[in-house]
Amino acid sequence: MNALISVSDKSGIVDFAKALHALGIRLISTGGTAKLLAAEGLPVTEVAEVTGFPEMLDGRVKTLHPKVHAGLLARRELPEHMAALKDHGIDTIDLLVVNLYPFESTVAKAGCTLADAIENIDIGGPAMVRSAAKNWKDVGVLTGAAQYPEVLAELKAQGKLSDALRFRLAVAAFNRIAQYAGAISDYLSSVDFEADQPGESYVPRRQLFPGQSNGIFTKVQDLRYGENSHQQAALYRDLYPAPGAIVTGEQLQG
């Protein structure tokens, strides 16, 4: 089994990687993550060794390569897919561990510039996550450290991940990609280019309200009924609810 690990937030990743290695899983990694794992004494294969192509453009291009995406997307039950991998010397990637560049926290900082925001738009990460999540029947995709314990528990107990867990991971992955894309759209559509005086260079300025607002809501609970007793309903809240919002309150009765 092969695991590709490429994380921006490295919380818990060393212990997780050590546990994967102890289970006989080969570790493949990129950039700073590979250096961290190697420094901890773990045998790690750099992505550049897998692809035969060096990381380039200050790390902007690392994993956008057929040997990565074919390894993620190949359907194991299709002989023609597996034959194609064999013909091109490509190994399957069975576990993908990725969390994305910190776009949301970057743009939330006072003084964040448009250039700062642009540099924190992840390209390769979302591409890999989508590939792995699409092929959820064969690939487990982790997008947050909170998922590490459950994944390890199943791997230790069964030697593989169940269909149910792989599907839940895929749903969480697509949800994360939607949240990430929405945050980028919110930010960029709030930026206008204006000139202080006619003939001067235009400079980016962030407006109070974006041109497009992408609301993300998560389900809190099912309700007994909707506006009328014969209707069904559920309660949802913003992904990041405002302080004091009713959905953050503690239900005491009823």
Side-chain angles (χ1 to χ4, degrees), residues 21-22 39-40 49 63 113-114 151 181 214:
H21 173 61
E40 292 290 332
E49 185 179 336
T63 57
T113 66
L114 178 59
V151 167
N214 300 274

Side-chain angles (χ1 to χ4, degrees), residues 138-165:
D138 295 308
V139 182
V141 52
L142 291 80
T143 50
Q147 297 166 330
Y148 299 168
E150 184 177 13
V151 167
L152 280 179
E154 280 208 1
L155 288 174
K156 289 176 180 178
Q158 306 173 24
K160 63 179 182 179
L161 300 183
S162 65
D163 287 350
L165 179 53

Side-chain angles (χ1 to χ4, degrees), residues 92-117:
T92 58
I93 297 171
D94 311 289
L95 204 63
L96 178 71
V97 186
V98 168
N99 55 57
L100 308 177
Y101 292 177
F103 182 85
E104 294 100 328
S105 60
T106 297
V107 299
K109 295 176 183 175
C112 173
T113 66
L114 178 59
D116 293 333

Side-chain angles (χ1 to χ4, degrees), residues 55-242:
E55 296 184 12
M56 61 184 300
L57 306 180
D58 297 320
R60 284 190 170 198
V61 178
K62 298 189 286 282
T63 57
L64 296 169
H65 194 281
K67 285 198 172 183
V68 172
H69 287 273
L72 291 169
L73 284 164
R75 292 173 59 183
R76 304 342 185 223
E77 82 279 11
L78 296 182
E80 59 269 31
H81 279 204
M82 301 312 291
L85 293 190
K86 184 177 180 180
D87 289 344
H88 295 282
I90 299 173
D91 292 329
T92 58
I93 297 171
D94 311 289
L95 204 63
L96 178 71
V97 186
V98 168
N99 55 57
L100 308 177
Y101 292 177
F103 182 85
E104 294 100 328
S105 60
T106 297
V107 299
K109 295 176 183 175
C112 173
T113 66
L114 178 59
D116 293 333
I118 293 296
E119 281 307 305
N120 279 279
I121 296 177
D122 202 327
I123 303 299
M128 288 194 294
V129 167
R130 289 171 68 90
S131 290
K134 176 174 180 174
N135 202 23
W136 66 269
K137 287 187 177 181
D138 295 308
V139 182
V141 52
L142 291 80
T143 50
Q147 297 166 330
Y148 299 168
E150 184 177 13
V151 167
L152 280 179
E154 280 208 1
L155 288 174
K156 289 176 180 178
Q158 306 173 24
K160 63 179 182 179
L161 300 183
S162 65
D163 287 350
L165 179 53
R166 274 186 271 103
F167 184 73
R168 289 202 306 275
L169 293 171
V171 171
F174 279 120
N175 287 346
R176 177 63 187 126
I177 295 301
Q179 296 159 7
Y180 197 72
I184 294 169
S185 172
D186 284 347
Y187 176 84
L188 293 182
S189 66
S190 73
V191 176
D192 283 338
F193 280 75
E194 298 178 353
D196 291 326
Q197 299 293 333
E200 291 186 352
S201 297
Y202 285 86
V203 294
R205 289 190 175 87
R206 193 170 182 188
Q207 307 302 310
L208 181 60
F209 299 106
Q212 177 168 314
S213 179
N214 300 274
I216 300 291
F217 302 92
T218 58
K219 185 178 177 182
V220 177
Q221 67 182 69
D222 289 318
L223 300 178
R224 287 183 64 187
Y225 53 81
E227 187 171 344
N228 297 295
S229 58
H230 66 282
Q231 296 172 322
Q232 293 181 318
L235 174 65
Y236 288 78
R237 68 165 176 80
D238 287 325
L239 185 63
Y240 303 108

